[in-house]
Amino acid sequence: MLSKALLRLGASAARHPWRVIAAWLIAATLAVLAAIAVGGRTADSMTAPGLDSQRAAQLIERAGTGQEGMTAQVVVTPLDGDATFFDHGSARTALTRLQTEVQRLPHVLGTSDPAGALGAGGDATVRGGLVSADGRIAVVRVQYPDQSRLSAEDLDALVDLGDRLRAELPLRIEMGGSLFYAFSDPDGGASELIGLLAAATILFLAFGSLVAAALPIGMAVFGLTVGVATMTVLAGVTDVPTFAPVLGSMVGLGVGIDYALFVLARHREYLARGLDPREAAGRAVATAGRPVVFAGGTVVVSILGLAVANVPFMTVGGIAVSIVVLIMVVASVTLLPAFLGAAGPRLARTGRLGRALQARKPGRLARRRDPVAGAAQASGWRRWIGHVSRHPVPYAVGAAGLLLTATLPVLGLRVGLPDDGSLPHSRTERRAYDLVAEGFGPGTNGPLVIAADPTGDPGVLDRLVATVAADPGIASVAPTHIDRATGIATLVVFPTTSPQDKATADTIARLRTDVLPTAIGNGPARAHVGGAAASLSDVGQRTSQRLPVFVAAVLAMSFLLLMLAFRSVLVPLKAVLLNLLSIGASYGIMVAVFQWGWGGALIGLEATVPIVSFIPMFLFAILFGLSMDYEVFLLSRVREEFLRTGDNRTAIVEGVSGTARIITSAALIMVAVFLSFAVAEDPSTKMFGLGLATAIFIDATVVRMVLVPATMTLLGRANWWLPKWLDRMLPHGPVGTADTDAESTGEAPSPRLIDR
């Protein structure tokens, strides 16, 4: 039995707290040392097998043109606003020196020569895309080898050179390119600190004790240290995407503190009943620990289900985040009870400041019989849940209508990838992006690379260049590069629209379906469209196509697990539908904020952007798992009360009101942690933070405190209906939930009150 195993584990950790704490200290130290010794840096590989952009990348790699490597661009304009590179000799000399010094940087394979293009005459300058038509803006394009041969030191060297030359040359110098995307430090450090401080404040207000507030924070910090260090070790073996550490920190902090809160709340309940702290810790892990293990396992399995998309960077990112969640679950049932045992009876007491805060609300907090669980003689939550259960139809209809309305913007969902144009103006990448768009057109920031193998049809290249250049979505085509050894040709083409514009995706699709087949005909030659913009568009289409399959798989898994846990058909069906409502509403709010710009200024969003292609699938996996936390925790209490009383309405009122304070406190913590990431600079981090915060807020308020009691009241005893034939097929025994305290600790059998 899981409960008995957790009881022994929790009690043992509480009896020998310093051994367990020392073991975690050793584990954290070893993980950090391993990360330093063999860890790698995160790296983005936005490709997937079978995509046209991947085939283009393979041809480019065979040709050895260097275009498969990393790039950077240094964008310059004279400080004198009236000067141009055509008529300002000192600016042209400075441009030559800049290009020469960039060429000398380590690992630089080559650079473009805008100064040389100036000497070739105006027409050549414009065609080369190195100096703008008015002569005010020049671009030094820098070619590096592939990412495996580079490190953050290469980015640092380029940035340091720019800082030095800004003080020495009469030029405004801005930089951008894939080198920045790959090796810039991801957002997260300040957000993690803000989230921890917010969580500590909420925990103190919930428990009125500094010691009680500190334990979940300490456990989460331990778990996060081990988790992120393990992720760094994984990055030394495979490409871990750059968003994984930020997302892992975000989710790890949220679930870690939440899980600790559930166990700590039960522990204080047992202390209030007069149990010894060590026995209380064991029982808390046996009862609250089972929902933690069940919910954490659901999160892990949901995230690992991302492999169905067949996009390698998403699969690896899911594994990395799952590791952090799994470590938090282990910490909740080992390290936390050790902390509880070390704290002893002090957790039963409320600190002086906490008592002072409670004394200011004598009509509510001071009269609580149980200040942790919120089971008061005149509980406001009990009155609210009782009110909802007496009027279930209007509340169910009203809440469902509200969430469906919030979901409507999803109909306008557009996936893509925010480019440097969505970064704040304080970033040099954004300023470089704006200069390039101003001087050469928006499509110059997202060139497409057409790779062609003209084998057997030597005249195909001329037809290819002519048909591509004639397409209305193409602004210009750079000179064709042909590899002598392989015969493979590469064409760099510049769209008329920016990388994140929907028109660019339409141009890519048109090139593949109409333009290239027209140029190639039925001959043996072949051509594919690649480049960063094409790769991201392809990944977006792949994830959109696989999303329904993934959603169906997660829903089926969740339904089965909840049916096993609660021996019911309607309870898991209701849970699945309500979770879909809350997630759909969060998607709708994301569309309204990021695509429509509603309230975007509140989180520092300076321009509307499409939803990052892989975020909807990631959010669904994480949110569906996290919502199971509250579902399991709440329904466990409702089931306890139903098994104890046999009365459905009493079970709903007592179960929901008894968990309301903990669920709302846990939700506030998660919302605070996630919102702290919503103010980061990177739009992708903003999307993760706002999407997670919105969904958790909706789930813990509208869903758990309105829809759940309303729908369960309407269903009555049918909540716990299970056909006899299905009951015989399912394995018996609790699967992750506590039926009663006595049952979970082995002291009494569970009564058979469910009418099947």
Side-chain angles (χ1 to χ4, degrees):
M1 292 286 291
L2 177 62
S3 58
K4 292 182 179 180
L6 290 174
L7 175 66
R8 290 192 295 269
L9 182 63
S12 175
R15 284 195 301 269
H16 309 286
W18 301 114
R19 295 182 186 176
V20 176
I21 294 171
W24 272 90
L25 277 171
I26 293 172
T29 302
L30 291 176
V32 171
L33 291 176
I36 295 172
V38 299
R41 286 186 63 90
T42 56
D44 287 307
S45 179
M46 300 291 186
T47 59
L51 298 178
D52 189 66
S53 55
Q54 176 70 6
R55 297 187 183 99
Q58 292 170 346
L59 281 179
I60 294 171
E61 187 174 1
R62 275 182 53 199
T65 62
Q67 291 175 338
E68 73 276 10
M70 303 296 296
T71 60
Q73 58 182 12
V74 183
V75 188
V76 296
T77 186
L79 288 176
D80 183 351
D82 296 327
T84 72
F85 288 107
F86 292 140
D87 58 22
H88 201 282
S90 62
R92 186 180 301 195
T93 301
L95 179 61
T96 302
R97 179 184 168 190
L98 171 71
Q99 185 266 334
T100 302
E101 297 217 24
V102 170
Q103 175 72 58
R104 293 173 180 170
L105 289 174
H107 298 133
V108 170
L109 300 179
T111 67
S112 62
D113 185 9
L118 282 166
D123 291 341
T125 311
V126 176
R127 285 198 303 271
L130 301 178
V131 181
S132 62
D134 60 7
R136 290 187 56 255
I137 299 170
V139 178
V140 177
R141 295 193 172 92
V142 190
Q143 184 67 54
Y144 287 90
D146 63 83
Q147 190 168 333
S148 62
R149 297 169 56 188
L150 302 175
S151 69
E153 294 179 356
D154 294 286
L155 175 60
D156 294 339
L158 180 61
V159 171
D160 291 343
L161 175 63
D163 291 340
R164 177 169 61 83
L165 293 181
R166 285 189 185 98
E168 300 176 3
L169 301 178
L171 300 175
R172 174 187 168 192
I173 302 174
E174 307 295 350
M175 300 179 176
S178 60
L179 189 71
F180 283 79
Y181 185 78
F183 294 112
S184 292
D185 291 330
D187 295 337
S191 298
E192 292 166 13
L193 180 59
I194 294 171
L196 283 172
L197 292 175
T201 302
I202 296 169
L203 285 168
F204 177 73
L205 293 176
F207 292 116
S209 166
L210 288 174
V211 176
L215 296 188
I217 299 294
M219 190 213 79
V221 170
F222 260 99
L224 195 60
T225 300
V226 176
V228 173
T230 304
M231 193 183 298
T232 305
V233 173
L234 180 64
V237 179
T238 187
D239 288 339
V240 174
T242 54
F243 65 81
V246 176
L247 186 59
S249 299
M250 195 186 309
V251 176
L253 282 178
V255 302
I257 296 173
D258 255 23
Y259 295 163
L261 179 62
F262 294 159
V263 176
L264 178 58
R266 276 296 178 101
H267 176 71
R268 295 190 80 189
E269 284 185 45
Y270 290 127
L271 290 179
R273 298 179 190 177
L275 269 66
D276 176 78
R278 295 172 181 175
E279 183 182 357
R283 289 201 179 194
V285 173
T287 52
R290 274 196 296 183
V292 165
V293 171
F294 177 79
T298 305
V299 174
V300 169
V301 174
S302 297
I303 297 176
L304 291 178
L306 291 167
V308 75
N310 194 26
V311 179
F313 80 87
M314 289 180 62
T315 302
V316 176
I319 293 172
V321 175
S322 296
I323 289 173
V324 178
V325 175
L326 186 61
I327 289 172
M328 288 298 182
V329 172
V330 175
S332 299
V333 297
T334 57
L335 180 60
L336 182 60
F339 283 162
L340 300 179
R346 285 176 292 178
L347 290 176
R349 299 191 296 268
T350 301
R352 183 177 301 175
L353 181 56
R355 290 194 300 271
L357 290 173
Q358 290 181 0
R360 297 180 63 181
K361 300 180 181 179
R364 299 167 70 179
L365 291 174
R367 293 202 304 268
R368 290 187 188 275
R369 185 182 71 222
D370 183 352
V372 177
Q377 293 178 354
S379 169
W381 284 115
R382 184 179 288 108
R383 289 195 300 271
W384 167 253
I385 302 304
H387 175 70
V388 172
S389 65
R390 288 192 297 273
H391 308 87
V393 174
Y395 276 106
V397 173
L402 176 66
L403 295 185
L404 286 173
T405 301
T407 305
L408 287 177
V410 172
L411 298 176
L413 176 68
R414 181 169 66 87
V415 298
L417 189 79
D419 51 33
D420 287 346
S422 60
L423 294 175
H425 287 279
S426 59
R427 296 276 292 269
T428 185
E429 302 101 297
R430 169 61 186 274
R431 297 193 296 270
Y433 179 97
D434 289 344
L435 282 175
V436 170
E438 176 188 345
F440 305 96
T444 311
N445 281 299
L448 305 176
V449 181
I450 298 177
D453 184 353
T455 302
D457 189 358
V460 72
L461 294 181
D462 293 335
R463 299 196 305 270
L464 193 62
V465 172
T467 52
V468 169
D471 185 86
I474 300 300
S476 62
V477 179
T480 304
H481 180 280
I482 302 176
D483 179 63
R484 293 183 179 179
T486 61
I488 294 173
T490 53
L491 290 79
V492 178
V493 302
F494 299 96
T496 58
T497 50
S498 67
Q500 63 175 317
D501 198 311
K502 183 179 182 299
T504 302
D506 294 339
T507 297
I508 294 171
R510 189 169 57 253
L511 288 175
R512 288 170 173 162
T513 58
D514 298 331
V515 177
L516 299 188
T518 299
I520 293 174
N522 297 322
R526 55 195 177 105
H528 305 284
V529 183
S535 296
L536 294 170
S537 176
D538 288 352
V539 169
Q541 290 183 7
R542 169 70 63 83
T543 54
S544 297
Q545 292 168 356
R546 300 294 175 88
L547 184 60
V549 176
F550 171 72
V551 168
V554 172
L555 294 182
M557 177 201 68
S558 301
F559 177 83
L560 179 60
L561 289 177
L562 286 173
M563 184 169 62
L564 290 172
F566 294 106
R567 317 294 299 175
S568 166
V569 172
L570 294 181
V571 162
L573 180 61
K574 172 189 62 64
V576 165
L577 294 177
L578 295 186
N579 287 341
L580 276 177
L581 271 180
S582 62
I583 294 173
S586 71
Y587 281 6
I589 292 172
M590 285 175 58
V591 170
V593 172
F594 290 97
Q595 289 185 208
W596 300 352
W598 293 6
L602 297 176
I603 58 172
L605 187 68
E606 298 187 3
T608 57
V609 294
I611 304 301
V612 176
S613 57
F614 55 84
I615 282 184
M617 187 175 284
F618 252 104
L619 280 184
F620 188 89
I622 295 168
L623 288 172
F624 214 92
L626 293 181
S627 64
M628 289 296 104
D629 293 0
Y630 302 138
E631 188 74 27
V632 171
F633 189 66
L634 184 151
L635 290 179
S636 296
R637 283 297 188 92
V638 174
R639 181 172 165 83
E640 286 182 33
E641 295 296 332
F642 183 77
L643 291 172
R644 183 176 63 84
T645 66
D647 182 77
N648 183 66
R649 186 173 181 277
T650 300
I652 294 169
V653 174
E654 294 298 322
V656 178
S657 63
T659 57
R661 190 180 182 197
I662 296 302
I663 286 178
T664 51
S665 296
L668 280 174
I669 289 170
M670 275 205 180
V671 169
V673 170
F674 295 151
L675 281 182
S676 68
F677 285 84
V679 297
E681 288 187 345
D682 182 64
S684 301
T685 305
K686 289 180 185 291
M687 288 181 195
F688 275 124
L690 183 66
L692 290 169
T694 302
I696 293 299
F697 177 78
I698 292 172
D699 190 79
T701 54
V702 179
V703 173
R704 303 299 154 207
M705 300 304 143
V706 179
L707 277 173
V708 167
T711 54
M712 292 191 76
T713 299
L714 291 172
L715 290 172
R717 290 178 68 88
N719 282 302
W720 312 109
W721 172 74
L722 186 70
K724 291 182 179 180
W725 63 268
L726 184 57
D727 184 35
R728 288 191 296 268
M729 292 177 59
L730 297 176
H732 284 264
V735 183
T737 63
D739 291 326
T740 65
D741 289 346
E743 182 189 353
S744 65
T745 53
E747 296 176 6
S750 172
R752 304 285 292 181
L753 294 177
I754 300 178
D755 182 10
R756 299 189 180 91

